[in-house]
Structure formats: structure tokens, C-alpha cells
């Protein structure tokens, strides 16, 4: 017989970044900020809330992926939906729940795509891959996360596979994959690590080694999945 009493449900565990995100949106409401307004700098938010900058960064990333703010290099976090606080916690938890499935899909699709790219790439494909790496490196050197270059790199790999169906499947989940990129690249030191992983994938494709390219991509996707928000994400 169950010990659970009628009408009583276990309380959901609230993660620290969720609390910080709620505090930030509470401050937004109290100060009547609206879409287009800029939030306080990360350092000041961390000081006021008594948490680390890493936790504030996590909260801002979470707000970004649910569409409440946009984090712009050199411009800080800007509100994109000031009304988004109403169901913020539900949105954050729904997002965290689907992350494991997104990672599974990435691994299945992109590992195969990398192998095909190693077999089918052309010189123009390799040039596009190199150009994406240059964009990512320049952004990181300038203090950014390298999100745009990361997206361009994976798009170039997909194009190099020359599979219209796989490309269409990647397009279908591209927005969800972008969420995992933002979260992974927000981790300290992760943009440089991701750039190095990209270079290993590119080298394997240039060598024309499908097994090596697949292994490099699988390792990269596994690395991407090792982020705090994902480690805390419950499965159904």
C-alpha cells in the first residue's frame, strides 16, 4: 500500500539557476522593464544575488533558450519578451526534460553525417568547413561564445554529406540543437574545447576517414552533453 496521501504530491526540486532566473525576472517586473531593455551586467547580478557568475550565466542561458532574453557579445543580456515570466519555471523544466532526447538525436544523425562527409566531401565543402572554423575562432578570440561559428560548422558538415534526407532531418531539429549549443558553449572554457573538437572532426573529414570522422563527432556530441543543465535534467 502506498504511503502517499491523497492530494499530496512530491515537491519538484528547484535548481539554483532556476531560482536565479526567477529572481532576475522578478527584478524586471519590479522595475517595469520592457522588451529591448538591457539587464544588469553578470558581475553585478552575481553580487546582488550572492551567487557565482557561473550560476548567473547559467540562468541567462536558460532565459535565452526559452526566449526571454538575448545575450549579445559586447551588449549584455537584452529582454526579448518581458512578459515571459508568467510560466517561466514550467518552461525551464520542460526545456530541461527534452535535452536528453535532443542529444540522442544529435548523436544518431551527426555521427552518420560526419562519416558520409568524410567519403563525399568536395574541395568547396572543405573550404566551407574551414571558413566556419575561422568564424568560430574569431568570435572566441573576441570574448564571444562562438555560437554562430559552431552552427555554421555543423551546417557545413551536413552539406558535405550530400544527403538531402539527412539534411532535411537536421533542419527539422536545428532549433532544438541550437539550444544545446548555447548551453554547452556557456560553460567556462567550453568554447575553446569545442573548437578543438571541431578541428579534429574537420581533419578526419579531410583525410577521408569515415570511421575516424564518426568517432570524432560522437566524442564531440558526448562532450556537448556534459553540461550542468543536462546533468540535472530528469527523464520521464
Amino acid at each position: 500500500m502506498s504511503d502517499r496521501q491523497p492530494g499530496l504530491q512530491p515537491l519538484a526540486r528547484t535548481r539554483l539557476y532556476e531560482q536565479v532566473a526567477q529572481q532576475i525576472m522578478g527584478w524586471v517586473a519590479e522595475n517595469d522593464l520592457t522588451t529591448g531593455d538591457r539587464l544588469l551586467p553578470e558581475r553585478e547580478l552575481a553580487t546582488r544575488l550572492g551567487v557565482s557568475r557561473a550560476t548567473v550565466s547559467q540562468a541567462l542561458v536558460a532565459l535565452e533558450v526559452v526566449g526571454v532574453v538575448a545575450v549579445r557579445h559586447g551588449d549584455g543580456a537584452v529582454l526579448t519578451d518581458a512578459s515571459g515570466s508568467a510560466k517561466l519555471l514550467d518552461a525551464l523544466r520542460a526545456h530541461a526534460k527534452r535535452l536528453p532526447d535532443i542529444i540522442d538525436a544529435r548523436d544518431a544523425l551527426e555521427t552518420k553525417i560526419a562519416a558520409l562527409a568524410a567519403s563525399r566531401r568536395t574541395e568547396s565543402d572543405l573550404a566551407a568547413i574551414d571558413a566556419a572554423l575561422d568564424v568560430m575562432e574569431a568570435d572566441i578570440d573576441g570574448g564571444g561564445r562562438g555560437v554562430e561559428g559552431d552552427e555554421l560548422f555543423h551546417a557545413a558538415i551536413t552539406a558535405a554529406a550530400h544527403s538531402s534526407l539527412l539534411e532535411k532531418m537536421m533542419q527539422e531539429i536545428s532549433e532544438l540543437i541550437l539550444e544545446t549549443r548555447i548551453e554547452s558553449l556557456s560553460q567556462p572554457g567550453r568554447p575553446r574545447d569545442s573548437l578543438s573538437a571541431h578541428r579534429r572532426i574537420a581533419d578526419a573529414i579531410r583525410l577521408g576517414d569515415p570511421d575516424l570522422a564518426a568517432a570524432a563527432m560522437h566524442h564531440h556530441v558526448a562532450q556537448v552533453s556534459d553540461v550542468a543543465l543536462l546533468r540535472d535534467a530528469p527523464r520521464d
Side-chain angles (χ1 to χ4, degrees):
M1 183 175 178
S2 173
D3 292 332
R4 185 178 296 178
Q5 296 299 314
L8 298 178
Q9 299 295 328
L11 294 175
R13 181 167 58 92
T14 302
R15 294 177 286 272
L16 183 57
Y17 79 84
E18 292 177 345
Q19 298 176 46
V20 170
Q22 285 188 300
Q23 288 281 340
I24 290 172
M25 293 311 297
W27 176 82
V28 165
E30 289 172 6
N31 289 274
D32 295 322
L33 299 188
T34 187
T35 299
D37 287 340
R38 188 179 291 106
L39 299 185
L40 295 172
E42 282 188 18
R43 188 183 300 277
E44 186 171 349
L45 285 171
T47 299
R48 290 195 182 195
L49 292 168
V51 297
S52 69
R53 284 191 66 181
T55 300
V56 170
S57 178
Q58 233 185 358
L60 291 176
V61 166
L63 290 172
E64 188 170 15
V65 297
V66 297
V68 175
V69 305
V71 180
R72 301 167 185 163
H73 176 54
D75 201 27
V78 177
L79 279 170
T80 55
D81 182 6
S83 66
S85 60
K87 295 184 178 180
L88 176 62
L89 198 55
D90 287 344
L92 291 177
R93 287 177 180 163
H95 166 72
K97 262 189 169 182
R98 67 184 175 183
L99 281 177
D101 288 337
I102 298 170
I103 293 297
D104 288 345
R106 281 200 70 179
D107 193 20
L109 290 174
E110 295 201 76
T111 298
K112 180 62 177 179
I113 284 170
L116 290 175
S119 300
R120 301 174 178 177
R121 84 286 186 277
T122 65
E123 288 302 316
S124 62
D125 290 328
L126 293 175
I129 292 169
D130 288 340
L133 290 172
D134 289 342
V135 169
M136 187 173 184
E137 183 173 33
D139 187 20
I140 294 171
D141 286 345
R145 292 176 180 163
V147 174
E148 180 184 1
D150 188 296
E151 190 172 4
L152 288 171
F153 174 79
H154 286 277
I157 299 295
T158 300
H162 296 281
S163 170
S164 59
L165 183 55
L166 284 174
E167 185 169 10
K168 184 176 181 180
M169 292 171 72
M170 287 298 295
Q171 288 171 353
E172 289 293 322
I173 64 171
S174 62
E175 191 171 323
L176 298 177
I177 288 177
L178 180 58
E179 295 174 359
T180 68
R181 288 194 180 116
I182 293 171
E183 292 188 3
S184 175
L185 294 171
S186 73
Q187 307 302 306
R190 187 57 60 82
R192 291 270 176 212
D193 291 342
S194 187
L195 179 59
S196 296
H198 285 182
R199 293 198 185 283
R200 288 191 290 272
I201 296 166
D203 289 344
I205 290 173
R206 182 171 283 103
L207 286 172
D209 189 327
D211 291 338
L212 185 60
M217 181 63 81
H218 174 71
H219 181 271
H220 174 52
V221 174
Q223 180 188 51
V224 167
S225 71
D226 184 25
V227 295
L229 297 190
L230 181 56
R231 286 195 299 271
D232 287 341
R235 282 189 183 270
D236 289 331

